[in-house]
Amino acid sequence: RNNLYHINRIHRNLTRHYINATAFLNITLPLDIKYHASFNYIQNESLSKTHDSLLNAYSFSRDSWPKVFDNPANLMLTYEQTHNTRWTFQTNFSYNKTFAGKHDVGAIVGFEAFESISDPFSARKKGWTSMVLDQMDNITNVEYVKGAMSDFASASVFGRVTYAFDGKYMAEVNLRYDGSSRFASRSRWGFFPSVSAGWRISKESFMEGTG
């Protein structure tokens, strides 16, 4: 395999533009309540142009030409274009406070939503009229033209309450209400609660001097 031959015969030009930007806000409100909001936007665009050229490969071991590309009518030009965007919005109120040095209370309630859109396009033509310009108008036969658009989105409302006593005993309650466009409209939303508890036995007095 002559890699230099393949490098010289196949020409590809790729142009890509990428944006990833985030704006956020953090505010401390009365009663030790904190507010957070953020918005993230991502955009990814690319354009790829690939074509082969007139170049034959000779094999000394076979004493023949196994790869022959000497007819412009057999050469192809391929365009591939992608356009992807995604945005995410998050906002929440949170509260954390310790009472009497032993009671740790925390709570958070918030909302999150995002949407993703993909819009790809590709086309290929075969049969060059001239090798001077590598443009679609310079090629005669259409091999294919493909394009499709897809998008999906989701939204969530969530809340959590936590309590800890003296760093030993902990309890947590979580509530979520999630929706996704990937499901049918009648079953798009779901409620997901959860409860957990913990005990740090290593903090107990009877565990002193062990381990």
Side-chain angles (χ1 to χ4, degrees), residues 11-26:
H11 302 271
R12 184 170 186 254
N13 183 33
L14 174 63
T15 303
R16 176 170 291 167
H17 299 280
Y18 181 77
I19 298 173
N20 189 343
T22 301
F24 64 91
L25 176 68
N26 292 313

Side-chain angles (χ1 to χ4, degrees), residues 40 46 56 69-70 181 192 198 200:
N40 174 254
S46 65
N56 301 330
F69 295 92
D70 57 3
S181 65
F192 306 96
R200 297 181 65 183

Side-chain angles (χ1 to χ4, degrees), residues 97-111:
K97 195 172 183 64
T98 301
F99 298 91
K102 291 187 176 183
H103 303 274
D104 297 312
V105 178
I108 185 172
V109 59
F111 172 78

Side-chain angles (χ1 to χ4, degrees), residues 5-210:
Y5 164 79
H6 292 281
I7 292 174
N8 289 331
R9 199 182 74 80
I10 305 298
H11 302 271
R12 184 170 186 254
N13 183 33
L14 174 63
T15 303
R16 176 170 291 167
H17 299 280
Y18 181 77
I19 298 173
N20 189 343
T22 301
F24 64 91
L25 176 68
N26 292 313
I27 300 177
T28 299
L29 302 174
L31 304 177
D32 296 322
I33 298 175
K34 296 182 179 180
Y35 174 73
H36 168 78
S38 65
F39 182 82
N40 174 254
Y41 178 79
I42 298 175
Q43 180 174 311
N44 186 12
E45 295 187 359
S46 65
L47 174 62
S48 172
K49 182 167 64 175
T50 306
H51 70 88
D52 39 15
S53 60
L54 299 174
L55 188 62
N56 301 330
Y58 178 76
S59 173
F60 289 93
S61 61
R62 303 179 189 178
D63 191 23
S64 63
W65 297 84
K67 297 182 183 295
V68 178
F69 295 92
D70 57 3
N71 186 358
N74 295 327
L75 303 184
M76 292 179 291
L77 174 64
T78 303
Y79 269 74
E80 294 178 327
Q81 183 175 2
T82 61
H83 178 77
N84 301 322
T85 60
R86 178 187 176 104
W87 61 262
T88 304
F89 174 71
Q90 297 176 327
T91 182
N92 64 72
F93 292 90
S94 62
Y95 173 81
N96 291 279
K97 195 172 183 64
T98 301
F99 298 91
K102 291 187 176 183
H103 303 274
D104 297 312
V105 178
I108 185 172
V109 59
F111 172 78
E112 180 183 53
F114 79 87
E115 182 182 32
S116 178
I117 301 174
S118 177
D119 187 14
F121 169 81
S122 62
R124 174 178 290 176
K125 295 181 73 176
K126 182 179 180 181
W128 294 60
T129 58
S130 171
M131 298 300 297
V132 177
L133 298 176
D134 56 349
Q135 302 298 326
M136 282 292 186
D137 287 346
N138 195 37
I139 306 175
T140 55
N141 301 317
V142 177
E143 292 281 298
Y144 62 77
V145 177
K146 297 187 295 184
M149 180 179 178
S150 63
D151 67 330
F152 66 93
S154 74
S156 302
V157 179
F158 57 89
R160 181 175 68 244
V161 177
T162 60
Y163 172 75
F165 174 73
D166 200 21
K168 300 179 183 179
Y169 315 108
M170 291 153 282
E172 181 177 290
V173 177
N174 288 279
L175 303 174
R176 291 190 64 91
Y177 188 60
D178 299 323
S180 173
S181 65
R182 295 179 183 270
F183 298 99
S185 57
R186 293 184 178 180
S187 57
R188 185 161 292 171
W189 291 89
F191 180 63
F192 306 96
S194 66
V195 178
S196 63
W199 177 25
R200 297 181 65 183
I201 192 172
S202 60
K203 290 287 187 177
E204 297 291 352
S205 58
F206 60 81
M207 293 295 294
E208 294 181 2
T210 62

